[in-house]
Amino acid sequence: MSNFYLTVNILVNNLVSLRIPVMFSISVSSGFCAAVVYLLYDVNPPEGFNLRRDVYIRMASLVKTLRKDGDDWVLVLPPWGRLYHWQSPDIHQVRIPWAEFFSLTSLQANVPVIEYEEFMAESGGPFIDQVLVLQNYAEGWTDGKWEEKVDERPCIEKLMYSKDKQGYYRGWFWGYEETRARNVTCMSAQGHASILAPLLRRNITATSVMLDRAETVLHDHYAGKDYWDTRRSMVFAKHLRIIGDEFRAKYLNSTDSSDNTVYNEDWTRMQAKLGSAKGGPYLGVHLRRKDFIWGHRDDVPSLKGAVKKIRSLMKKHKLDRVFVATDADEEELESLKRLLPELVRFEPSWEDLELLKDGGVAIIDQWICAHARFFIGTSVSTFSFRIHEEREILGFDPKTTYNRLCGDTEKECEQPTHWKIVY
Ligand SMILES: Nc1nc2c(ncn2[C@@H]2O[C@H](COP(=O)(O)OP(=O)(O)O)[C@@H](O)[C@H]2O)c(=O)[nH]1
Ligand SMILES: [Mg+2]
């Protein structure tokens, strides 16, 4: 009996102590639920689309770690835009929501995510409580010893944020000029993404924290189960997959049923057996040019060298069609077409490009390469790596996937690593 009263007393006390903050603090939405905390992030401006996709995986992992303590962390998707490679003229390519490229419901089945505009609406405006600018340690690794650590430090590089008259920090917030930060701090960090978790938990008085230069932290466990869960959840937006599929059917004689590449939009149910996918009757090539050849890298072939390899692969695998995804400029493209007149490319009209944007076209290129009977990519291109993963998800034999073009004079042409999915 006395026990009963005690329980009631505790309950009453808890109710009282829980209710009080509700009356004074707008950040607590209900007495019993953990308050929402938003994690925002951004990546070094020169980084391209496919490394950014990789950083998303690191941030999703961090949010999962943060949520383990019961706090309701939500990942805010950084709008796409102002990417160095997205230079199609006269097309507005900024403030692009993730839903234009990825299936949001698929992402949400992995970790809670919202678009930036939703964040502004939900959190009460274009304000970010705390920006943490991640950087390395000025002194590098001391004694050549690697250790995981994170510390507040003076900013090493010039701060890309400046205070306005009201004392708010202004800077690049994905093209949302009205967005401001209340506080900006530089943090030296060395290690995997989740080393930030204790620091972020201590910061819990803030309702929104943005990690800038988020690529500074590494994967918690590259190619582990959590990596693959997040990667598999990055299902391309349906309209892009449909356009890619229609193109395959029309120009490459390729359909899912004949190629054994039937896709389940619900990624949690997609578990294709390795080697089960046959792929369409064409060779898929990702031929990365531009900045990859400007540096005269010896692991990247000349056009002639690439075409020679393409022809020999077509012969070897008895394929009479070849699909080429490339970022080659006009001049190189003309040469390539002269050397390989039968090549098939996805070339959108200006109107289509305006709708799909450079990012959408890149995804369609990747999707078509992902369905080829045999694929060959370019050395250390994250664009090619994402194609490898897509093919792994579809269930291709690794021999048909982890291939890359070799430089004309490259001696040891090491081939890409096979990363097996952990389900
Ligand atoms: N459409 C299309 N775009 C490409 C292709 N290759 C490169 N790009 C563009 O160039 C960018 C390359 O940057 P990134 O994604 O970082 O890949 P990486 O630099 O090759 O590792 C892509 O995001 C695309 O915008 C391609 O085959 N097709
Ligand atoms: Mg890049």
Side-chain angles (χ1 to χ4, degrees):
M1 203 61 187
S2 59
N3 262 347
F4 173 75
Y5 279 108
L6 199 68
T7 317
V8 170
N9 259 335
I10 289 167
L11 257 178
V12 169
N13 277 337
N14 274 349
L15 284 177
V16 170
S17 59
L18 278 170
R19 286 261 160 82
I20 290 166
V22 182
M23 296 159 67
F24 297 102
S25 164
I26 46 156
S27 68
V28 178
S29 46
S30 107
F32 292 101
C33 296
V36 174
V37 196
Y38 300 95
L39 185 73
L40 303 95
Y41 74 95
D42 202 8
V43 177
N44 196 18
E47 296 298 351
F49 187 42
N50 290 290
L51 182 92
R52 285 166 191 267
R53 286 173 62 188
D54 185 82
V55 176
Y56 170 79
I57 298 179
R58 306 178 210 181
M59 293 300 108
S61 181
L62 172 58
V63 167
K64 284 183 196 174
T65 303
L66 287 164
R67 293 179 62 82
K68 278 184 191 147
D69 267 11
D71 292 311
D72 192 7
W73 287 83
V74 171
L75 186 58
V76 182
L77 301 165
W80 297 100
R82 212 177 65 163
L83 260 56
Y84 167 76
H85 289 96
W86 295 359
Q87 295 175 346
S88 289
D90 312 319
I91 294 178
H92 187 70
Q93 305 206 56
V94 77
R95 278 178 269 158
I96 306 171
W98 277 56
E100 291 208 20
F101 300 143
F102 297 96
S103 151
L104 234 52
T105 47
S106 302
L107 297 177
Q108 280 158 349
N110 175 57
V111 73
V113 297
I114 55 170
E115 301 272 19
Y116 184 70
E117 299 220 350
E118 214 180 321
F119 159 77
M120 284 197 290
E122 260 187 25
S123 69
F127 298 96
I128 299 171
D129 289 335
Q130 174 74 56
V131 174
L132 301 175
V133 183
L134 302 183
Q135 57 185 12
N136 296 321
Y137 281 81
E139 67 273 25
W141 307 1
T142 38
D143 325 321
K145 200 175 99 229
W146 170 262
E147 56 177 339
E148 298 214 298
K149 52 185 180 176
V150 46
D151 294 286
E152 188 176 335
R153 287 291 176 90
C155 303
I156 300 171
E157 286 176 24
K158 184 176 170 287
L159 196 62
M160 300 303 278
Y161 301 87
S162 54
K163 254 188 183 170
D164 68 12
K165 283 197 195 107
Q166 284 76 37
Y168 290 111
Y169 287 88
R170 301 281 181 163
W172 175 257
F173 295 104
W174 313 282
Y176 288 87
E177 272 153 29
E178 68 277 25
T179 295
R180 279 148 282 178
R182 295 195 166 94
N183 220 329
V184 178
T185 312
C186 287
M187 281 283 162
S188 287
Q190 179 172 289
H192 62 274
S194 287
I195 58 162
L196 299 171
L199 170 91
L200 292 169
R201 287 196 187 109
R202 261 183 270 128
N203 239 304
I204 204 120
T205 48
T207 38
S208 49
V209 183
M210 170 177 167
L211 301 175
D212 194 1
R213 301 295 302 267
E215 77 286 354
T216 308
V217 285
L218 310 171
H219 282 284
D220 281 332
H221 185 187
Y222 188 77
K225 167 148 169 57
D226 176 52
Y227 174 96
W228 275 111
D229 280 353
T230 303
R231 177 60 186 84
R232 287 160 60 223
S233 76
M234 298 179 84
V235 171
F236 292 137
K238 190 160 194 173
H239 68 284
L240 301 176
R241 283 182 282 129
I242 289 174
I243 294 170
D245 289 342
E246 282 174 355
F247 188 90
R248 284 166 54 213
K250 197 164 170 196
Y251 300 102
L252 297 163
N253 195 20
S254 165
T255 63
D256 286 346
S257 53
S258 59
D259 304 347
N260 291 343
T261 50
V262 176
Y263 192 67
N264 194 334
E265 198 164 338
D266 177 357
W267 63 270
T268 62
R269 288 159 182 269
M270 177 89 187
Q271 192 168 341
K273 241 184 86 196
L274 222 61
S276 63
K278 189 169 156 226
Y282 59 96
L283 176 70
V285 182
H286 174 231
L287 187 61
R288 183 75 162 80
R289 307 308 283 174
K290 293 220 172 105
D291 42 317
F292 273 42
I293 51 170
W294 297 337
H296 297 284
R297 282 170 38 175
D298 72 353
D299 58 340
V300 178
S302 66
L303 283 185
K304 264 204 182 122
V307 170
K308 194 172 156 219
K309 180 70 184 175
I310 289 169
R311 288 208 183 288
S312 89
L313 283 173
M314 288 170 76
K315 203 167 156 205
K316 184 174 171 197
H317 297 281
K318 300 189 178 61
L319 299 168
D320 57 6
R321 288 173 223 231
V322 52
F323 176 81
V324 179
T326 183
D327 62 330
D329 61 23
E330 284 304 318
E331 203 185 316
E332 268 213 314
L333 210 51
E334 285 314 308
S335 318
L336 180 65
K337 283 179 183 166
R338 246 179 282 124
L339 293 164
L340 192 68
E342 69 268 44
L343 80 97
V344 178
R345 283 186 66 239
F346 177 75
E347 288 174 294
S349 64
W350 190 84
E351 286 75 16
D352 285 346
L353 182 58
E354 195 183 20
L355 284 173
L356 303 169
K357 315 213 168 50
D358 285 315
V361 176
I363 286 173
I364 293 167
D365 268 348
Q366 289 181 317
W367 187 247
I368 299 170
C369 283
H371 287 78
R373 183 122 345 138
F374 192 94
F375 171 73
I376 187 161
T378 302
S379 180
V380 297
S381 162
T382 55
F383 191 106
S384 292
F385 292 162
R386 300 291 90 84
I387 295 172
H388 297 165
E389 293 160 351
E390 210 62 39
R391 291 176 65 85
E392 193 72 18
I393 292 167
L394 288 168
F396 278 94
D397 180 335
K399 284 202 277 299
T400 71
T401 293
Y402 297 90
N403 308 295
R404 71 155 174 106
L405 295 157
C406 305
D408 294 356
T409 57
E410 202 180 352
K411 286 203 184 68
E412 272 170 56
C413 179
E414 201 186 323
Q415 293 298 299
T417 312
H418 174 203
W419 297 102
K420 230 175 148 173
I421 300 181
V422 184
Y423 287 100

